[in-house]
Amino acid sequence: MAGRFFQNNKPELLLVVVTMVWGGTFILIQLGLRDVGPFGYMALRFAIGCLALAIIFWKKLRGLTLLEVKAGVIIGVMLFFVYGFVAIGLQYVPSSKSAFLLTMYVPMVPILQWLVLSRLPRLATWYGLVLCFIGLIFMSFESGGGGVDFSFGFGEAITLAGAVACALEIIFIGRFAG
């Protein structure tokens, strides 16, 4: 019976596992930042990734076109800002808040597509944006001592800047992928 449950709910269960792993990375990043700092951590992380991918895909890298290199640089710069802003933000906000703030990129993508590419979002997107904003308020503002603290500090702001960079990265990927 348990086997049937897992088979029937496999996509949902895998999504839960992926979400747990993704959320756990914020905790690992926050722990890693204690020893190395945001840019040292990013340099180490990306150097290992670059080396591993260069070893695996070295034959394909030789045939890159100028457009592919340009696209890679633009997307890489966006990734630098995403990871940099999140790493800096993690020094000021808890990992759970950082993860939530970063996921604000989801409703930002259609909004930025509208501003950058003149693609008007659907009505459902606007509803989603309002719900995300309400969630942002509940996650970002702490209550204590009988009141709500509506302060929004540097950590929250820099992490939201990372969400904007993440949304732009997705837009650029969509632009260059075709």
Side-chain angles (χ1 to χ4, degrees):
M1 186 157 132
R4 187 190 286 156
F5 171 79
F6 288 113
Q7 189 62 34
N8 290 341
N9 297 299
K10 188 175 181 179
E12 291 85 1
L13 293 171
L14 288 174
L15 185 59
V16 168
V17 169
V18 167
T19 302
M20 289 171 56
V21 170
W22 178 78
T25 63
F26 283 84
I27 296 168
L28 294 175
I29 292 169
Q30 201 164 37
L31 292 172
L33 289 173
R34 292 179 183 169
D35 297 325
V36 217
F39 293 104
Y41 175 82
M42 284 177 39
L44 183 62
R45 180 178 182 174
F46 282 99
I48 292 169
C50 182
L51 182 61
L53 291 174
I55 291 169
I56 295 169
F57 297 108
W58 67 274
K59 287 182 182 177
K60 290 187 183 245
L61 290 174
R62 290 191 336 219
L64 288 178
T65 66
L66 187 58
L67 178 63
E68 291 168 333
V69 171
K70 176 183 170 185
V73 167
I74 291 170
I75 293 166
V77 167
M78 288 298 105
L79 273 175
F80 170 80
F81 284 118
V82 171
Y83 286 103
F85 289 151
V86 169
I88 293 169
L90 276 168
Q91 296 177 314
Y92 301 93
V93 298
S95 56
S96 58
K97 186 184 285 189
S98 176
F100 178 79
L101 291 171
L102 183 62
T103 59
M104 288 296 290
Y105 78 86
V106 174
M108 285 183 190
V109 169
I111 304 305
L112 289 174
Q113 281 181 325
W114 175 43
L115 295 174
V116 174
L117 305 174
S118 301
R119 292 185 196 161
L120 188 64
R122 298 179 324 196
L123 186 59
T125 303
W126 292 107
Y127 290 136
L129 182 63
V130 169
L131 290 173
C132 282
F133 182 72
I134 291 169
L136 171 67
I137 289 171
F138 283 119
M139 289 292 292
S140 298
F141 303 126
E142 301 175 13
S143 62
V148 177
D149 177 15
F150 284 103
S151 63
F152 191 80
F154 175 75
E156 289 87 358
I158 197 84
T159 305
L160 273 178
V164 171
C166 190
L168 288 171
E169 174 210 354
I170 291 169
I171 291 169
F172 285 126
I173 288 172
R175 168 95 166 75
F176 290 116

